[in-house]
């Protein structure tokens, strides 16, 4: 059988497919109502597999081997110049715009992208306190990393098994089956891993590879049947319009755009209306600039959104998209094309240039990372707020998931010196905010303690919650964890005291306040149909009394921290941006307030305190009140002597936690005195 040269003939329909893919992604990111526009990445994966797989198989079939150096030189010519140009320009704008902790993360992501591991980085960063996607200008490089890992995997597999054509084909098909099965099985339980990591995405590129091999071995002309082109187009349109973002993807849903792309590739040279549309000059134009457009659109979107402080409306989005297309055309015309067509440029020079550019990015990004994002870029008015944005990460190196009863499966964090815990601190994310102060207070008193915390989970018995910022699984986990904690007390004999910390105003009112008023939480009883008619404040009050009653059976002392004042209009990140961006064109208008009158806080504070008031008056609990540390007679402030005290409008910073740690001294000191009395009696 004669197959011709190694190179693949140009097909304008593939550029049309690229145009569909990139425009789906761009329109989706800029807020147009394409529910599944992100599947454009899956289309790219199949196209890459089809083209790269076809090239490598032709070379393998003709020469019995592949030349790795030639392969990578071609890849670097095609991909590297525009990538490094994008990183350089994005870095320059990030220097001006991003706050230090975000710029530090930019440096980390630039390092990861340069060594083709950004997909692993972004997978590892996914979590409760992860930064928003608008703060990650290189987030889109995750898909480039997946493709680069594919460019390493496929040639090496061919080299390893190339002596046996049959074994190579079996291995490719086997990898396709295993990757698809793993993707489908992992998506429900580990959706982030299935989304970002190469082993669970390899089947999409292998679909293109196997299609290219089938076409080559059967000498296909790729004309096929018009009905299959229509079916492929329908599958792609359905994917873009209806596939939802979230934990159901990729999984079995990813089969829809992958099959649709494969059908269009397999029938792409036929004379039908779908292929005519794909070969239209406008589609071909966007296909030609598709790589550059993908590279540039995301930094334009993220940095503009970050600077403006809000998502753009349709008209503004259109202007940012036009800018993205203009940058993409300039990149394609003056960066991509000249290097790709410079055939007289030796492969050694290309590899050397790639190495130099990589080392330069690694050195610059490494310096940014080691310099903590270069805080000195901004003036003194921004510094307290900037410092507060990075003053919320605690040392959790001593924390672990308990693997023995009665706390097995729960994350626990020892505080203070080593030894059997005498004090239990139980609460929500406000416990995390106070952790450094609690830890130092325990060390100063020489009393071991233990922290158990879960974000958005009230430390109260007899309740279940449904929270807008949590998944159903997280809501259920809260109820189950609280039940387990209740059952554990009888087996935690060493504990003498317990401290409850929570955002009480949130649970009583059911909503956040000010900048986070969009967050809601609904509270329900875990048992007792008669309680369903109670209001949320009544349910919380009942739960407080029930919880204290249970705790009195197991603890000598029960302490409750009054919730610190909420500075409704303050968020350190937003305040820092406002100060850092003063004078910049298009910068967001000022909206944060770092002070609040005590009178404005009275009603919400009274609601938060009400469930506890009678218990305090009866002496059943010890009430720890931090308000005097954050407020004077008239106002409460997010700053104290020029130091940021709040991370957002309700979580305090480490600096504040350390400053007010003497609030907790009586808890630990009472344990010390009690131990001394016992020893004296002995």
């Amino acid at each position: 059988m004669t197959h011709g040269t190694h190179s693949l003939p140009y097909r304008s329909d593939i550029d049309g497919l690229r145009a569909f893919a990139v425009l789906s992604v761009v329109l989706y990111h800029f807020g147009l109502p394409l529910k599944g526009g992100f599947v454009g990445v899956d289309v790219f994966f199949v196209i890459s597999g089809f083209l790269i797989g076809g090239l490598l198989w032709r070379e393998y079939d003709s020469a019995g081997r592949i030349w790795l150096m030639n392969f990578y030189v071609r890849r670097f010519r095609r991909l590297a110049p525009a990538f490094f140009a994008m990183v350089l320009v994005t870095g320059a704008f990030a220097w001006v715009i991003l706050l230090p902790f975000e710029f530090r993360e930019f440096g980390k992501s630039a390092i990861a992208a340069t060594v083709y591991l950004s997909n692993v980085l972004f997978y590892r960063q996914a979590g409760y306190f992860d930064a928003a996607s608008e703060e990650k200008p290189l987030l889109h490089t995750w898909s480039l990393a997946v493709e680069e890992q594919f460019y390493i995997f496929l040639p090496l597999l061919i080299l390893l098994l190339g002596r046996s054509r049959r074994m190579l084909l079996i291995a490719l098909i086997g990898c396709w089956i295993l990757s698809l099965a793993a993707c489908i099985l992992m998506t429900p339980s580990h959706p982030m891993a299935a989304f970002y990591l190469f082993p669970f995405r390899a089947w999409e590129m292998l679909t293109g590879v196997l299609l290219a091999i089938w076409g080559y071995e059967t000498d296909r002309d790729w004309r096929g049947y018009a009905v299959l082109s229509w079916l492929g187009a329908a599958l792609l349109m359905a994917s873009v319009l209806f596939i939802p973002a979230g934990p159901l993807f990729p999984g079995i849903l990813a089969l829809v755009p992958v099959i649709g792309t494969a059908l269009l590739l397999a029938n792409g040279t036929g004379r039908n209306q779908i292929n005519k549309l794909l070969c239209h000059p406008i589609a071909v134009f966007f296909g030609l600039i598709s790589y550059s457009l993908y590279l540039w659109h995301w930094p334009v979107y993220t940095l503009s959104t970050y600077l403006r402080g809000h998502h753009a409306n349709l008209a503004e989005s259109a202007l940012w998209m036009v800018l993205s297309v203009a940058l993409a055309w300039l990149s394609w015309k003056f960066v991509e094309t000249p290097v790709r067509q410079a055939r007289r440029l030796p492969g050694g020079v290309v590899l050397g240039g790639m190495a130099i550019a990589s080392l330069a990015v690694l050195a610059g990004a490494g310096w940014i990372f080691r310099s903590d994002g270069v805080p000195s870029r901004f003036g003194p008015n921004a510094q307290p707020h900037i410092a507060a944005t990075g003053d919320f990460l605690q040392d959790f190196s001593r924390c672990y998931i308990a693997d023995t009863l009665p706390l097995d499966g729960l994350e626990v964090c020892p505080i203070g010196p080593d030894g059997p815990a005498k004090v239990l601190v139980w609460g929500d994310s406000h416990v995390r905010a106070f952790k450094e102060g609690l830890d130092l207070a325990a060390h100063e008193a020489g009393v071991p303690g233990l922290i158990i915390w879960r974000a958005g989970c009230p430390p109260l018995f007899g309740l279940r919650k449904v929270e807008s910022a949590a998944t159903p699984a997280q809501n259920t986990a809260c109820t189950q964890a609280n039940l387990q904690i209740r059952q554990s007390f009888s087996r935690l004999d060493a504990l003498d005291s317990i401290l409850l910390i929570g955002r009480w105003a949130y649970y009583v009112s059911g909503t956040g306040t000010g900048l986070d008023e969009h967050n809601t939480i609904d509270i329900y009883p875990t048992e007792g149909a008669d309680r369903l008619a109670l209001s949320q404040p009544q349910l919380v009050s009942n739960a407080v009394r029930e919880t204290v009653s249970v705790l009195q059976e197991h603890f000598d002392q029960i302490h409750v921290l009054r919730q610190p004042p909420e500075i409704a209009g303050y968020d350190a990140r937003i305040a820092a941006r406002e100060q850092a961006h003063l004078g910049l064109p298009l910068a967001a208008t000022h909206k944060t307030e770092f002070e609040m009158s005590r009178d404005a806080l009275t009603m919400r504070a009274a609601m938060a305190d009400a469930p506890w008031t009678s218990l305090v008056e009866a002496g059943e609990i010890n009430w720890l009140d931090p308000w005097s540390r954050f407020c004077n007679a008239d106002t409460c402030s997010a700053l104290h002597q020029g130091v940021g005290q709040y991370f957002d409008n309700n979580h305090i910073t480490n600096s504040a936690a350390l400053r007010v740690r003497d609030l907790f001294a009586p808890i630990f000191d009472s344990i010390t005195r009690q131990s001394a009395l016992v020893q004296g009696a002995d």
Side-chain angles (χ1 to χ4, degrees):
M1 184 185 295
T2 302
H3 296 288
T5 64
H6 298 176
S7 61
L8 296 171
Y10 172 72
R11 284 175 50 179
S12 56
D13 65 292
I14 292 180
D15 271 328
L17 259 181
R18 286 188 177 121
F20 177 88
V22 75
L23 291 176
S24 297
V25 172
V26 171
L27 294 174
Y28 171 76
H29 283 155
F30 277 99
L32 272 74
L34 298 179
K35 193 174 184 180
F38 55 88
V39 302
V41 170
D42 303 82
V43 177
F44 275 127
F45 284 162
V46 180
I47 294 172
S48 293
F50 181 76
L51 295 176
I52 300 305
L55 285 169
L56 289 174
W57 191 262
R58 283 170 177 262
E59 184 177 352
Y60 165 71
D61 182 69
S62 176
R65 61 168 298 175
I66 58 174
W67 299 92
L68 279 181
M69 180 175 175
N70 291 342
F71 172 75
Y72 288 118
V73 166
R74 291 195 301 268
R75 291 295 86 208
F76 293 149
R77 282 183 189 273
R78 171 77 174 89
L79 303 175
F83 167 79
F84 285 117
M86 181 274 296
V87 171
L88 179 64
V89 174
T90 302
F93 279 93
W95 172 276
V96 176
I97 294 174
L98 294 186
L99 296 180
F101 78 97
E102 295 152 346
F103 196 44
R104 180 179 182 270
E105 291 304 305
F106 173 84
K108 186 193 297 185
S109 61
I111 293 171
T114 303
V115 297
Y116 316 132
L117 290 173
S118 59
N119 61 325
V120 178
L121 172 68
F122 294 124
Y123 159 67
R124 290 172 62 88
Q125 287 182 342
Y128 181 79
F129 289 101
D130 183 28
S133 60
E134 288 85 357
E135 297 166 12
K136 298 178 179 179
L138 298 182
L139 178 63
H140 64 320
T141 62
W142 76 268
S143 65
L144 306 182
V146 170
E147 290 204 25
E148 294 292 350
Q149 291 159 20
F150 169 70
Y151 297 151
I152 295 171
F153 163 79
L154 184 61
L156 292 181
L157 184 66
I158 294 174
L159 285 176
L160 182 64
L161 301 176
R163 291 182 179 273
S164 171
R165 188 187 194 92
R166 183 169 179 271
M167 285 300 299
L168 180 56
L169 282 171
I170 291 174
L172 288 169
I173 294 171
C175 288
W176 182 85
I177 293 171
L178 289 174
S179 176
L180 174 59
C183 178
I184 292 173
L185 292 173
M186 286 288 287
T187 295
S189 58
H190 296 83
M192 290 297 99
F195 186 87
Y196 281 115
L197 300 184
F198 169 72
F200 311 109
R201 292 294 197 140
W203 69 274
E204 300 186 30
M205 288 160 282
L206 287 171
T207 298
V209 172
L210 293 172
L211 177 63
I213 293 173
W214 171 77
Y216 179 75
E217 293 297 325
T218 57
D219 209 17
R220 306 293 298 179
D221 59 6
W222 307 111
R223 291 187 182 276
Y225 302 96
V227 66
L228 295 180
S229 292
W230 281 98
L231 177 58
L235 289 174
L236 287 188
M237 288 303 299
S239 301
V240 167
L241 293 175
F242 301 117
I243 287 182
L248 297 177
F249 192 87
I252 199 167
L253 290 177
L255 281 167
V256 181
V258 169
I259 293 173
T261 306
L263 287 173
L264 287 169
L265 289 171
N267 301 276
T269 63
R271 298 176 63 84
N272 59 65
Q273 292 301 314
I274 296 297
N275 290 337
K276 286 181 180 179
L277 284 174
L278 292 176
C279 296
H280 191 279
I282 296 177
V284 171
F285 166 76
F286 280 103
L288 290 173
I289 69 168
S290 60
Y291 174 59
S292 281
L293 182 54
Y294 182 79
L295 283 179
W296 287 99
H297 88 281
W298 183 251
V300 169
Y301 169 74
T302 56
L303 294 177
S304 64
T305 302
Y306 186 93
L307 179 63
R308 298 288 290 139
H310 61 80
H311 293 281
N313 58 35
L314 187 59
E316 190 177 342
S317 290
L319 293 176
W320 293 121
M321 283 189 282
V322 169
L323 175 60
S324 300
V325 172
L327 290 171
W329 181 82
L330 291 171
S331 174
W332 170 75
K333 181 72 174 178
F334 299 107
V335 180
E336 268 194 76
T337 304
V339 177
R340 189 170 69 248
Q341 294 181 350
R343 298 304 177 188
R344 294 183 180 181
L345 200 63
V349 173
V350 173
L351 293 177
M354 170 74 179
I356 292 171
S358 297
L359 289 173
V361 170
L362 292 174
W367 173 74
I368 292 169
F369 183 78
R370 290 193 307 272
S371 303
D372 285 329
V374 199
S376 58
R377 292 176 293 134
F378 302 110
N381 289 339
Q383 291 301 329
H385 308 290
I386 288 174
T389 65
D391 196 21
F392 187 57
L393 299 176
Q394 294 82 18
D395 178 10
F396 285 97
S397 59
R398 296 177 66 191
C399 300
Y400 60 93
I401 303 296
D403 57 4
T404 58
L405 294 173
L407 299 175
D408 55 309
L410 298 181
E411 183 180 24
V412 294
C413 300
I415 57 173
D418 294 332
K422 297 293 185 181
V423 176
L424 175 64
V425 183
W426 175 35
D428 56 17
S429 59
H430 281 214
V431 173
R432 172 187 172 134
F434 276 99
K435 178 182 177 296
E436 297 301 303
L438 287 163
D439 192 21
L440 184 54
H443 273 291
E444 290 173 340
V447 176
L450 192 68
I451 281 177
I452 302 177
W453 73 280
R454 186 177 293 271
C457 185
L460 299 171
F461 300 132
L463 297 178
R464 65 179 180 89
K465 59 100 174 183
V466 177
E467 190 178 11
S468 61
T471 65
Q474 289 169 331
N475 290 328
T476 301
C478 169
T479 304
Q480 293 173 339
N482 285 359
L483 177 60
Q484 183 178 353
I485 291 168
R486 179 173 186 167
Q487 295 169 344
S488 74
F489 291 148
S490 61
R491 303 183 64 174
L492 297 174
D493 298 330
L495 291 172
D496 294 317
S497 298
I498 187 168
L499 168 63
L500 304 183
I501 299 178
R503 190 183 182 188
W504 312 119
Y506 183 45
Y507 305 131
V508 173
S509 68
T511 68
T513 183
L515 294 180
D516 84 321
E517 63 184 357
H518 57 281
N519 290 326
T520 62
I521 185 167
D522 295 317
I523 300 294
Y524 301 95
T526 55
E527 57 185 26
D530 56 315
R531 299 182 182 181
L532 292 174
L534 297 178
S535 67
Q536 189 147 315
Q538 290 173 322
L539 284 172
V540 173
S541 294
N542 285 354
V544 163
R545 288 192 293 272
E546 178 184 345
T547 301
V548 171
S549 177
V550 172
L551 296 180
Q552 286 172 337
E553 298 174 7
H554 302 282
F555 296 94
D556 296 331
Q557 297 184 55
I558 302 168
H559 308 272
V560 179
L561 180 70
R562 186 188 188 195
Q563 182 187 328
E566 295 172 317
I567 312 300
Y570 183 78
D571 185 292
R573 291 162 294 188
I574 300 174
R577 291 176 194 175
E578 291 172 352
Q579 295 298 321
H581 297 162
L582 281 177
L584 291 181
L586 305 178
T589 56
H590 180 88
K591 69 176 182 180
T592 59
E593 298 291 339
F594 66 86
E595 286 188 346
M596 195 168 181
S597 72
R598 291 190 70 143
D599 290 342
L601 292 165
T602 300
M603 181 176 295
R604 189 168 171 90
M607 290 177 62
D609 298 343
W612 305 99
T613 302
S614 61
L615 296 171
V616 175
E617 293 172 349
E620 296 186 53
I621 63 172
N622 180 31
W623 187 243
L624 307 179
D625 188 352
W627 276 56
S628 63
R629 314 302 176 87
F630 299 97
C631 308
N632 58 30
D634 301 313
T635 61
C636 299
S637 178
L639 301 178
H640 177 78
Q641 297 180 356
V643 177
Q645 302 294 287
Y646 282 77
F647 175 78
D648 56 21
N649 68 1
N650 65 97
H651 292 94
I652 67 168
T653 60
N654 293 332
S655 297
L658 291 170
R659 180 175 66 85
V660 304
R661 69 185 184 277
D662 60 300
L663 282 169
F664 309 116
I667 302 173
F668 299 105
D669 289 344
S670 65
I671 302 296
T672 304
R673 289 193 299 271
Q674 184 177 349
S675 299
L677 290 172
V678 171
Q679 292 173 3
D682 293 342

